[in-house]
Amino acid sequence: MTFKIKKQKNLNLPELSIIIPVKDQLPYLDRCLASLQKIQDTSWELIIVNDGSNQETVKYLEQFPQLNIVHHQQSKGFVEACHQGVQKSNGKYILLLNSDTELINPNSFFKMISIFKYNDKVGVVGAKLLYPNDTIQHFGLVWSNKDMNYMHFAIGKDKNDPSVCTSQTFDVVTGACFMTTKELWNKLGGFDKIYSPGYWEDTDYCLRAKELGYITVCCAEAILYHFQGKSFN
């Protein structure tokens, strides 16, 4: 176990609520939580939604009674877990974060919040997500007429490629690291539960936000590893 609880520095409401849906995959969860201890320049709370995990994961979470943990006895899926987490949140901004991510840049979430503060028409902010070999796993999605689908932009390129070193507007960013405002979440009704247990809900949310005049931005200074496909297996 590498994650340890830090004492709360003040009793003010946090600016950011980090919501992590969890379904087993304990080594990745522990790695994710340990990395969050590096967060700088942002007041935050952590909400974990245990979506019917095995007993090993439950026992792990029981070690941290200070954490805000929602337990589902049976799995309800990613979409419902996100909704349950947001209901418990207190922050102006909410970050839906996969448990198979690892924070690299300690200022990542501060940089993401700064994008909202710079432009009040920003509805969603995503992050630069890397494979373990430091190439791009995610930096926004773009529409492909050939595939008739949204495809990952710059996938496989080096993390320092000029095309991914400046924050950019996209139609869609992935739900693996997905920041929005509590206000917009409530306005849109969150993720549409028609996509339960989970798939396309992030795409749909970004496109519905766009219909209301909001933009989606991928933040080049928010950098995390994403061990893709390990969070809800």
Side-chain angles (χ1 to χ4, degrees), residues 169-189:
T169 300
F170 291 91
D171 281 344
V172 177
V173 293
T174 181
C177 182
F178 188 97
M179 189 180 291
T180 188
T181 65
K182 186 78 167 287
E183 180 181 8
L184 181 58
W185 177 272
N186 290 336
K187 185 181 294 186
L188 292 175

PDB file of all heavy atoms in Angstrom, residues 169-189:
ATOM      1  N   THR A 169      -8.902  23.173 -28.722  1.00  0.00           N
ATOM      2  CA  THR A 169     -10.328  22.879 -28.673  1.00  0.00           C
ATOM      3  C   THR A 169     -10.633  21.642 -29.511  1.00  0.00           C
ATOM      4  O   THR A 169     -10.148  21.506 -30.627  1.00  0.00           O
ATOM      5  CB  THR A 169     -11.144  24.077 -29.198  1.00  0.00           C
ATOM      6  OG1 THR A 169     -10.866  25.217 -28.382  1.00  0.00           O
ATOM      7  CG2 THR A 169     -12.632  23.783 -29.154  1.00  0.00           C
ATOM      8  N   PHE A 170     -11.427  20.749 -28.941  1.00  0.00           N
ATOM      9  CA  PHE A 170     -11.874  19.545 -29.631  1.00  0.00           C
ATOM     10  C   PHE A 170     -13.382  19.403 -29.425  1.00  0.00           C
ATOM     11  O   PHE A 170     -13.959  20.006 -28.516  1.00  0.00           O
ATOM     12  CB  PHE A 170     -11.181  18.293 -29.071  1.00  0.00           C
ATOM     13  CG  PHE A 170      -9.716  18.200 -29.385  1.00  0.00           C
ATOM     14  CD1 PHE A 170      -8.771  18.727 -28.517  1.00  0.00           C
ATOM     15  CD2 PHE A 170      -9.280  17.592 -30.551  1.00  0.00           C
ATOM     16  CE1 PHE A 170      -7.416  18.651 -28.801  1.00  0.00           C
ATOM     17  CE2 PHE A 170      -7.922  17.507 -30.850  1.00  0.00           C
ATOM     18  CZ  PHE A 170      -6.986  18.041 -29.974  1.00  0.00           C
ATOM     19  N   ASP A 171     -14.008  18.589 -30.253  1.00  0.00           N
ATOM     20  CA  ASP A 171     -15.415  18.276 -30.011  1.00  0.00           C
ATOM     21  C   ASP A 171     -15.578  17.412 -28.770  1.00  0.00           C
ATOM     22  O   ASP A 171     -16.552  17.542 -28.024  1.00  0.00           O
ATOM     23  CB  ASP A 171     -16.015  17.542 -31.209  1.00  0.00           C
ATOM     24  CG  ASP A 171     -16.379  18.470 -32.363  1.00  0.00           C
ATOM     25  OD1 ASP A 171     -16.449  19.696 -32.140  1.00  0.00           O
ATOM     26  OD2 ASP A 171     -16.578  17.964 -33.484  1.00  0.00           O
ATOM     27  N   VAL A 172     -14.605  16.511 -28.549  1.00  0.00           N
ATOM     28  CA  VAL A 172     -14.767  15.469 -27.528  1.00  0.00           C
ATOM     29  C   VAL A 172     -13.433  15.197 -26.841  1.00  0.00           C
ATOM     30  O   VAL A 172     -12.382  15.204 -27.493  1.00  0.00           O
ATOM     31  CB  VAL A 172     -15.283  14.158 -28.170  1.00  0.00           C
ATOM     32  CG1 VAL A 172     -15.384  13.041 -27.138  1.00  0.00           C
ATOM     33  CG2 VAL A 172     -16.634  14.370 -28.849  1.00  0.00           C
ATOM     34  N   VAL A 173     -13.495  14.953 -25.532  1.00  0.00           N
ATOM     35  CA  VAL A 173     -12.356  14.383 -24.802  1.00  0.00           C
ATOM     36  C   VAL A 173     -12.845  13.154 -24.048  1.00  0.00           C
ATOM     37  O   VAL A 173     -14.043  12.991 -23.790  1.00  0.00           O
ATOM     38  CB  VAL A 173     -11.718  15.391 -23.811  1.00  0.00           C
ATOM     39  CG1 VAL A 173     -11.060  16.533 -24.560  1.00  0.00           C
ATOM     40  CG2 VAL A 173     -12.729  15.899 -22.792  1.00  0.00           C
ATOM     41  N   THR A 174     -11.926  12.299 -23.677  1.00  0.00           N
ATOM     42  CA  THR A 174     -12.277  11.049 -23.027  1.00  0.00           C
ATOM     43  C   THR A 174     -12.717  11.247 -21.577  1.00  0.00           C
ATOM     44  O   THR A 174     -12.250  12.159 -20.884  1.00  0.00           O
ATOM     45  CB  THR A 174     -11.098  10.066 -23.063  1.00  0.00           C
ATOM     46  OG1 THR A 174     -11.487   8.838 -22.431  1.00  0.00           O
ATOM     47  CG2 THR A 174      -9.885  10.611 -22.328  1.00  0.00           C
ATOM     48  N   GLY A 175     -13.570  10.338 -21.120  1.00  0.00           N
ATOM     49  CA  GLY A 175     -14.021  10.360 -19.738  1.00  0.00           C
ATOM     50  C   GLY A 175     -13.002   9.841 -18.747  1.00  0.00           C
ATOM     51  O   GLY A 175     -13.252   9.859 -17.545  1.00  0.00           O
ATOM     52  N   ALA A 176     -11.838   9.412 -19.202  1.00  0.00           N
ATOM     53  CA  ALA A 176     -10.815   8.897 -18.288  1.00  0.00           C
ATOM     54  C   ALA A 176     -10.273   9.971 -17.357  1.00  0.00           C
ATOM     55  O   ALA A 176      -9.870   9.692 -16.230  1.00  0.00           O
ATOM     56  CB  ALA A 176      -9.671   8.260 -19.083  1.00  0.00           C
ATOM     57  N   CYS A 177     -10.244  11.202 -17.852  1.00  0.00           N
ATOM     58  CA  CYS A 177      -9.849  12.363 -17.045  1.00  0.00           C
ATOM     59  C   CYS A 177     -10.669  13.524 -17.582  1.00  0.00           C
ATOM     60  O   CYS A 177     -10.276  14.182 -18.539  1.00  0.00           O
ATOM     61  CB  CYS A 177      -8.351  12.623 -17.150  1.00  0.00           C
ATOM     62  SG  CYS A 177      -7.771  14.003 -16.129  1.00  0.00           S
ATOM     63  N   PHE A 178     -11.800  13.777 -16.952  1.00  0.00           N
ATOM     64  CA  PHE A 178     -12.871  14.572 -17.549  1.00  0.00           C
ATOM     65  C   PHE A 178     -13.342  15.600 -16.529  1.00  0.00           C
ATOM     66  O   PHE A 178     -13.986  15.258 -15.542  1.00  0.00           O
ATOM     67  CB  PHE A 178     -14.003  13.609 -17.919  1.00  0.00           C
ATOM     68  CG  PHE A 178     -15.135  14.183 -18.721  1.00  0.00           C
ATOM     69  CD1 PHE A 178     -15.172  14.033 -20.101  1.00  0.00           C
ATOM     70  CD2 PHE A 178     -16.199  14.828 -18.097  1.00  0.00           C
ATOM     71  CE1 PHE A 178     -16.251  14.503 -20.840  1.00  0.00           C
ATOM     72  CE2 PHE A 178     -17.277  15.304 -18.829  1.00  0.00           C
ATOM     73  CZ  PHE A 178     -17.304  15.144 -20.216  1.00  0.00           C
ATOM     74  N   MET A 179     -12.999  16.865 -16.751  1.00  0.00           N
ATOM     75  CA  MET A 179     -13.386  17.916 -15.816  1.00  0.00           C
ATOM     76  C   MET A 179     -14.495  18.774 -16.413  1.00  0.00           C
ATOM     77  O   MET A 179     -14.444  19.163 -17.573  1.00  0.00           O
ATOM     78  CB  MET A 179     -12.193  18.802 -15.446  1.00  0.00           C
ATOM     79  CG  MET A 179     -12.488  19.783 -14.309  1.00  0.00           C
ATOM     80  SD  MET A 179     -11.070  20.853 -13.866  1.00  0.00           S
ATOM     81  CE  MET A 179      -9.939  19.656 -13.142  1.00  0.00           C
ATOM     82  N   THR A 180     -15.492  19.062 -15.584  1.00  0.00           N
ATOM     83  CA  THR A 180     -16.579  19.944 -15.969  1.00  0.00           C
ATOM     84  C   THR A 180     -17.004  20.714 -14.734  1.00  0.00           C
ATOM     85  O   THR A 180     -16.489  20.477 -13.630  1.00  0.00           O
ATOM     86  CB  THR A 180     -17.754  19.146 -16.590  1.00  0.00           C
ATOM     87  OG1 THR A 180     -18.726  20.040 -17.123  1.00  0.00           O
ATOM     88  CG2 THR A 180     -18.421  18.247 -15.561  1.00  0.00           C
ATOM     89  N   THR A 181     -17.909  21.652 -14.896  1.00  0.00           N
ATOM     90  CA  THR A 181     -18.402  22.385 -13.740  1.00  0.00           C
ATOM     91  C   THR A 181     -19.627  21.684 -13.178  1.00  0.00           C
ATOM     92  O   THR A 181     -20.385  21.040 -13.905  1.00  0.00           O
ATOM     93  CB  THR A 181     -18.763  23.832 -14.098  1.00  0.00           C
ATOM     94  OG1 THR A 181     -19.862  23.832 -15.027  1.00  0.00           O
ATOM     95  CG2 THR A 181     -17.577  24.556 -14.728  1.00  0.00           C
ATOM     96  N   LYS A 182     -19.810  21.837 -11.894  1.00  0.00           N
ATOM     97  CA  LYS A 182     -21.010  21.263 -11.269  1.00  0.00           C
ATOM     98  C   LYS A 182     -22.266  21.893 -11.882  1.00  0.00           C
ATOM     99  O   LYS A 182     -23.277  21.215 -12.092  1.00  0.00           O
ATOM    100  CB  LYS A 182     -20.953  21.538  -9.764  1.00  0.00           C
ATOM    101  CG  LYS A 182     -22.060  20.871  -8.945  1.00  0.00           C
ATOM    102  CD  LYS A 182     -21.766  19.408  -8.737  1.00  0.00           C
ATOM    103  CE  LYS A 182     -22.660  18.785  -7.669  1.00  0.00           C
ATOM    104  NZ  LYS A 182     -22.320  19.197  -6.301  1.00  0.00           N
ATOM    105  N   GLU A 183     -22.169  23.173 -12.208  1.00  0.00           N
ATOM    106  CA  GLU A 183     -23.308  23.884 -12.793  1.00  0.00           C
ATOM    107  C   GLU A 183     -23.715  23.271 -14.131  1.00  0.00           C
ATOM    108  O   GLU A 183     -24.904  23.026 -14.375  1.00  0.00           O
ATOM    109  CB  GLU A 183     -22.974  25.361 -12.974  1.00  0.00           C
ATOM    110  CG  GLU A 183     -24.098  26.188 -13.587  1.00  0.00           C
ATOM    111  CD  GLU A 183     -23.726  27.645 -13.778  1.00  0.00           C
ATOM    112  OE1 GLU A 183     -22.539  28.001 -13.583  1.00  0.00           O
ATOM    113  OE2 GLU A 183     -24.614  28.441 -14.133  1.00  0.00           O
ATOM    114  N   LEU A 184     -22.739  23.019 -15.003  1.00  0.00           N
ATOM    115  CA  LEU A 184     -23.067  22.445 -16.307  1.00  0.00           C
ATOM    116  C   LEU A 184     -23.535  21.002 -16.161  1.00  0.00           C
ATOM    117  O   LEU A 184     -24.450  20.569 -16.867  1.00  0.00           O
ATOM    118  CB  LEU A 184     -21.867  22.532 -17.247  1.00  0.00           C
ATOM    119  CG  LEU A 184     -22.092  21.992 -18.657  1.00  0.00           C
ATOM    120  CD1 LEU A 184     -23.257  22.708 -19.348  1.00  0.00           C
ATOM    121  CD2 LEU A 184     -20.819  22.118 -19.503  1.00  0.00           C
ATOM    122  N   TRP A 185     -22.907  20.247 -15.274  1.00  0.00           N
ATOM    123  CA  TRP A 185     -23.337  18.868 -15.026  1.00  0.00           C
ATOM    124  C   TRP A 185     -24.812  18.823 -14.671  1.00  0.00           C
ATOM    125  O   TRP A 185     -25.582  18.024 -15.215  1.00  0.00           O
ATOM    126  CB  TRP A 185     -22.501  18.257 -13.905  1.00  0.00           C
ATOM    127  CG  TRP A 185     -22.894  16.861 -13.511  1.00  0.00           C
ATOM    128  CD1 TRP A 185     -23.843  16.497 -12.583  1.00  0.00           C
ATOM    129  CD2 TRP A 185     -22.368  15.630 -14.034  1.00  0.00           C
ATOM    130  NE1 TRP A 185     -23.929  15.128 -12.486  1.00  0.00           N
ATOM    131  CE2 TRP A 185     -23.042  14.578 -13.359  1.00  0.00           C
ATOM    132  CE3 TRP A 185     -21.391  15.321 -14.981  1.00  0.00           C
ATOM    133  CZ2 TRP A 185     -22.764  13.235 -13.618  1.00  0.00           C
ATOM    134  CZ3 TRP A 185     -21.122  13.981 -15.238  1.00  0.00           C
ATOM    135  CH2 TRP A 185     -21.796  12.953 -14.568  1.00  0.00           C
ATOM    136  N   ASN A 186     -25.215  19.720 -13.775  1.00  0.00           N
ATOM    137  CA  ASN A 186     -26.628  19.753 -13.369  1.00  0.00           C
ATOM    138  C   ASN A 186     -27.521  20.217 -14.517  1.00  0.00           C
ATOM    139  O   ASN A 186     -28.644  19.721 -14.688  1.00  0.00           O
ATOM    140  CB  ASN A 186     -26.797  20.664 -12.160  1.00  0.00           C
ATOM    141  CG  ASN A 186     -26.187  20.080 -10.898  1.00  0.00           C
ATOM    142  OD1 ASN A 186     -26.032  18.865 -10.777  1.00  0.00           O
ATOM    143  ND2 ASN A 186     -25.824  20.933  -9.957  1.00  0.00           N
ATOM    144  N   LYS A 187     -27.034  21.162 -15.312  1.00  0.00           N
ATOM    145  CA  LYS A 187     -27.818  21.673 -16.432  1.00  0.00           C
ATOM    146  C   LYS A 187     -28.077  20.578 -17.468  1.00  0.00           C
ATOM    147  O   LYS A 187     -29.171  20.477 -18.038  1.00  0.00           O
ATOM    148  CB  LYS A 187     -27.098  22.857 -17.073  1.00  0.00           C
ATOM    149  CG  LYS A 187     -27.876  23.549 -18.182  1.00  0.00           C
ATOM    150  CD  LYS A 187     -27.067  24.697 -18.790  1.00  0.00           C
ATOM    151  CE  LYS A 187     -26.836  25.810 -17.816  1.00  0.00           C
ATOM    152  NZ  LYS A 187     -26.166  26.983 -18.438  1.00  0.00           N
ATOM    153  N   LEU A 188     -27.064  19.743 -17.705  1.00  0.00           N
ATOM    154  CA  LEU A 188     -27.184  18.669 -18.694  1.00  0.00           C
ATOM    155  C   LEU A 188     -27.769  17.385 -18.110  1.00  0.00           C
ATOM    156  O   LEU A 188     -28.065  16.450 -18.845  1.00  0.00           O
ATOM    157  CB  LEU A 188     -25.811  18.365 -19.302  1.00  0.00           C
ATOM    158  CG  LEU A 188     -25.191  19.452 -20.185  1.00  0.00           C
ATOM    159  CD1 LEU A 188     -23.782  19.054 -20.607  1.00  0.00           C
ATOM    160  CD2 LEU A 188     -26.053  19.717 -21.414  1.00  0.00           C
ATOM    161  N   GLY A 189     -27.911  17.355 -16.798  1.00  0.00           N
ATOM    162  CA  GLY A 189     -28.375  16.115 -16.168  1.00  0.00           C
ATOM    163  C   GLY A 189     -27.298  15.059 -16.093  1.00  0.00           C
ATOM    164  O   GLY A 189     -27.596  13.863 -15.992  1.00  0.00           O
TER     165      GLY A 189
END
